[in-house]
Amino acid sequence: MSGPFLLSHLVAEAAQRDPAAAAVRSTDGALTYGELDAATARLAATLGGLGVRRGDRVGLYLHKSVAAYVAVHAVLRAGAAYVPIDPLAPPAALAAVATDCGIEVLVSDARHQRLLAELAASGRSPVRCVVGAGPVEGLRTVSGAEVDDADVASWRPPKVLSDDLAYVMVTSGSTGRPKGLMHTHRSGLSYARLAARTYGVRPEDRLANSAPFHFDISTFELFAGPLAGASTLVIAEPYLKLPASLSQLVAEDRSTFWYSVPFLLSELALRGALDQRDLGALRWVLFGGEVADPGVLRTLMGHMPNARFSNSYGPAEVNQCTYWHLPGPPANGESIPIGRPWGDAEVAVVDERRELVAPGEVGELVVRTSTMMEGYWGRPDLDAAAFVHRSLPGGRTSRWYATGDLVRQRDDGVLEFLGRRDHQVKVRGNRVELESVESVLASLDGIDQAVAAVVDVEGSTAVLAGVTARPGAALDLDAALRAVAEQLPPYAVPYRLVPLGPLPLTASGKVDRRAVRADLARRADTGTPIKPVPTEGATP
Amino acid sequence: MSDLATDLVALIVDEVARTDEPVGPDTDLLLSGIVDSLGVVRIVHWLEERLGIDIDAADVTLDNFQTVDAMVDYASRRSTAAA
């Protein structure tokens, strides 16, 4: 067998091999590969009929479901690139992404009707058509029933090449302007092959998909799953907020793979009622996106006796590039290495001048790999900063991605992650640029200066921000929070604003952000309610 | 609405909600994004204090916490069991 060269081949080829094999299941149903292939073709033909062409960007704005899984593969099959949008994104954020990426067609669901109507009424987006949401005033709409009746027989799929655009993962940049990572069929498929090989994914495997589709690790279940002929459980959002229900779902599903950000592992260890769950079917627990807590991993290892645990590392710009299979339960305080590069990736550790550091010295990790993105959508300025050109043995020059992550390479070649070069932080696995939170806050009426920090709350992480009032202005903290929520994704919105007096200054006269952030971390008040809530005595 | 339901709606709207969506006793709090995982923990703490009970992690499930009505049902089952 020659194997696929496009992501859009994955489902069709899995269906040819074994049409009756389970493909995907969620709260809205279950499909075999034969059924998934047919549903994908119907939606792809529908999109083609709406004028979607090779290279177009189609937005996905729907909750996690079998329908969402179908939509990803249908957009690829239609020759377009899918742009997954946070299903909780407010209309203004959706409009910003749609405008930036030039999205005219969205696939959505009925739960988004009201938000879509607001989007249409705002007149601020290029979206002209929505599939799957039911009627929305101001937009052309195509119902699910119409998709079911699509004329697949007379639809001709467009020609697509492996370096055509396949998906754009959008993060919010430091100015709040969307930053789209362009991945091709080649980079996505290369990731799927390396992941399937590294973890030995088999047709009988059952992959538990926890990541939202706008988070890059979801490509493990979306691409490596069908490549291997494995099936995927798409976990609906409500389960991800209730660890006891989540653990029950995964136990009952007999899932064999788990892949998530460490935040969800902490939630499971802390509140997952694991002593009452049988998670013996799990054979791999993969985690990545931020640093994992050794205590949490030890707890989970006790409840998942047959699972191997592996730390995966790689900014979304390169999908993944290194891995570290844990040899056993980690000790308290032990930092988990990010490991060694996998097959088709190589790494170098460089200094500020982009020269190799001496062995064992700290430097920035740069990566060369087939899973690397093409570049940032419409942002040659960002490309120039992100890519480094280095010469290879034999005199060729190649493009490497500069991760911005500081690492040290041990004598045995294993990489240790030490932090960031910039102020980018992670909140529950999501990238947050604190400057972007601060600049949005400081742009609001009445606010003079803002400092944001990531703090620990209730065993989880969240953004906390302190603000100072403009002279003579009164602070309306609730109004400020609402305004921020309209511009930033939910995980970047501070859970609370703290009014601050005059800010401490550094010797050079700048705001001492480090001192303010340390102060905010002390104010996070773990374990106690965040705002005063009525106590039993106060409420009749 | 019972007193408990009224107070829970007020707690969620005033203290916990991440969006401006209207909240009623049968609103799905979790799918809509009104309540995030941190919000669930805060509601559990509030209920423990209000009712003077300990809520086991295994009880914090979709069946018991997806809506205010479900929380009120859960609370009444717990107080019946204690009586």
Side-chain angles (χ1 to χ4, degrees):
Chain A
M1 193 185 63
S2 54
F5 64 90
L6 297 177
L7 290 171
S8 41
H9 293 160
L10 292 172
V11 166
E13 293 194 4
Q16 275 169 17
R17 288 194 303 266
D18 190 354
V24 58
R25 58 197 166 276
S26 188
T27 39
D28 60 334
L31 298 178
T32 64
Y33 271 106
E35 292 163 340
L36 175 61
D37 184 43
T40 300
R42 286 193 296 270
L43 181 52
T46 304
L47 293 170
L50 291 169
V52 170
R53 296 289 175 263
R54 176 181 176 190
D56 285 355
R57 281 78 52 209
V58 173
L60 305 185
Y61 187 48
L62 66 178
H63 285 294
K64 287 182 66 189
S65 54
V66 167
Y69 195 99
V70 169
V72 166
H73 288 282
V75 172
L76 293 167
R77 197 135 158 186
Y82 76 92
V83 185
I85 298 161
D86 185 347
L88 297 180
L94 171 60
V97 174
T99 304
D100 189 68
C101 293
I103 293 171
E104 296 185 12
V105 176
L106 286 176
V107 181
S108 189
D109 55 27
R111 302 195 65 100
H112 285 90
Q113 261 177 353
R114 186 178 63 84
L115 294 170
L116 289 165
E118 282 179 39
L119 176 80
S122 77
R124 285 191 303 166
S125 96
V127 173
R128 59 180 172 82
C129 181
V130 178
V131 179
V136 177
E137 197 174 333
L139 293 174
R140 179 175 176 196
T141 53
V142 177
S143 70
E146 288 172 83
V147 175
D148 291 342
D149 290 340
D151 181 7
V152 176
S154 59
W155 173 66
R156 279 197 62 211
K159 182 177 174 73
V160 176
L161 304 190
S162 61
D163 70 350
D164 281 344
L165 195 59
Y167 57 101
V168 180
M169 288 280 168
V170 180
T171 63
S172 68
S174 54
T175 56
R177 180 176 163 191
K179 189 164 118 178
L181 284 56
M182 296 187 288
H183 277 284
T184 61
H185 286 264
R186 177 157 43 213
S187 63
L189 190 56
S190 180
Y191 165 72
R193 287 211 171 96
L194 287 161
R197 206 171 85 120
T198 300
Y199 308 109
V201 186
R202 308 191 285 244
E204 61 272 25
D205 273 316
R206 302 169 68 84
L207 318 181
N209 158 251
S210 66
F213 289 2
H214 61 279
F215 199 92
D216 71 305
I217 69 174
S218 63
T219 53
F220 179 70
E221 295 89 13
L222 284 165
F223 303 151
L227 178 71
S231 68
T232 291
L233 166 70
V234 178
I235 301 175
E237 287 86 351
Y239 289 91
L240 300 170
K241 298 166 189 169
L242 294 170
S245 286
L246 179 59
S247 61
Q248 188 171 22
L249 180 69
V250 173
E252 286 173 359
D253 186 69
R254 307 294 297 157
S255 300
T256 62
F257 269 80
W258 171 268
Y259 190 4
S260 77
V261 291
F263 162 70
L264 264 187
L265 296 183
S266 305
E267 288 281 287
L268 283 173
L270 202 59
R271 307 184 237 278
L274 295 184
D275 49 346
Q276 300 172 47
R277 304 284 183 260
D278 173 9
L279 294 166
L282 279 171
R283 46 182 214 99
W284 278 103
V285 173
L286 315 179
F287 53 93
E290 62 189 330
V291 175
D293 178 334
V296 165
L297 296 176
R298 269 204 323 275
T299 301
L300 294 179
M301 286 174 175
H303 294 287
M304 303 170 180
N306 303 315
R308 294 183 74 186
F309 282 63
S310 188
N311 188 13
S312 71
Y313 165 83
E317 282 84 348
V318 299
N319 282 297
Q320 180 176 344
C321 56
T322 73
Y323 65 92
W324 174 254
H325 300 337
L326 274 70
N332 268 346
E334 182 179 331
S335 78
I336 317 287
I338 57 175
R340 293 190 178 85
W342 64 10
D344 204 13
E346 66 178 311
V347 298
V349 185
V350 300
D351 63 17
E352 302 274 331
R353 293 167 296 132
R354 300 272 153 83
E355 307 283 343
L356 288 178
V357 301
E361 298 269 301
V362 176
E364 180 180 7
L365 184 69
V366 297
V367 187
R368 172 177 176 241
T369 174
S370 58
T371 62
M372 185 162 74
M373 67 167 182
E374 189 77 14
Y376 296 101
W377 175 261
R379 296 295 299 272
D381 55 324
L382 294 176
D383 289 349
F387 294 117
V388 183
H389 293 273
R390 295 172 51 80
S391 48
L392 298 175
R396 282 176 61 220
T397 302
S398 75
R399 198 167 73 144
W400 298 56
Y401 173 68
T403 63
D405 287 333
L406 296 175
V407 300
R408 176 170 43 220
Q409 193 157 25
R410 301 192 323 210
D411 289 346
D412 60 359
V414 170
L415 294 159
E416 295 174 328
F417 174 81
L418 300 170
R420 287 287 301 172
R421 285 184 64 208
D422 54 19
H423 295 296
Q424 179 186 296
V425 292
K426 293 280 180 100
V427 175
R428 288 167 248 161
N430 298 287
R431 280 186 206 180
V432 173
E433 318 240 3
L434 291 173
E435 290 99 328
S436 124
V437 179
E438 291 166 352
S439 74
V440 168
L441 278 168
S443 71
L444 302 175
D445 282 347
I447 293 181
D448 185 25
Q449 287 178 308
V451 179
V454 172
V455 299
D456 293 324
V457 190
E458 305 279 9
S460 158
T461 51
V463 176
L464 178 63
V467 292
T468 63
R470 286 223 169 105
L475 282 177
D476 182 345
L477 297 179
D478 285 340
L481 270 184
R482 280 197 301 276
V484 175
E486 284 173 13
Q487 298 184 47
L488 293 174
Y491 51 82
V493 177
Y495 73 91
R496 188 175 64 152
L497 292 178
V498 180
L500 299 175
L503 299 178
L505 301 180
T506 62
S508 60
K510 292 182 189 160
V511 170
D512 188 348
R513 290 178 187 274
R514 187 176 299 202
V516 180
R517 287 188 176 128
D519 180 44
L520 287 170
R522 281 191 294 276
R523 291 173 186 240
D525 301 331
T526 46
T528 56
I530 284 135
K531 289 186 197 172
V533 293
T535 59
E536 208 170 356
T539 315
Chain B
M1 269 197 290
S2 68
D3 284 355
L4 181 62
T6 308
D7 292 351
L8 273 167
V9 168
L11 169 82
I12 291 162
V13 170
D14 295 344
E15 310 284 344
V16 173
R18 304 282 298 179
T19 72
D20 279 344
E21 277 180 68
V23 175
D26 58 354
T27 305
D28 184 327
L29 301 168
L30 299 168
L31 185 59
S32 56
I34 295 171
V35 174
D36 63 8
S37 51
L38 191 56
V40 173
V41 176
R42 292 170 65 185
I43 293 169
V44 169
H45 283 334
W46 185 89
L47 274 174
E48 286 183 328
E49 203 164 310
R50 165 73 176 255
L51 305 172
I53 57 171
D54 281 332
I55 296 178
D56 190 77
D59 283 354
V60 186
T61 57
L62 280 172
D63 285 348
N64 295 338
F65 282 84
Q66 192 149 20
T67 63
V68 165
D69 279 344
M71 296 177 208
V72 172
D73 280 352
Y74 170 73
S76 79
R77 285 199 305 278
R78 285 295 305 270
S79 33
T80 315

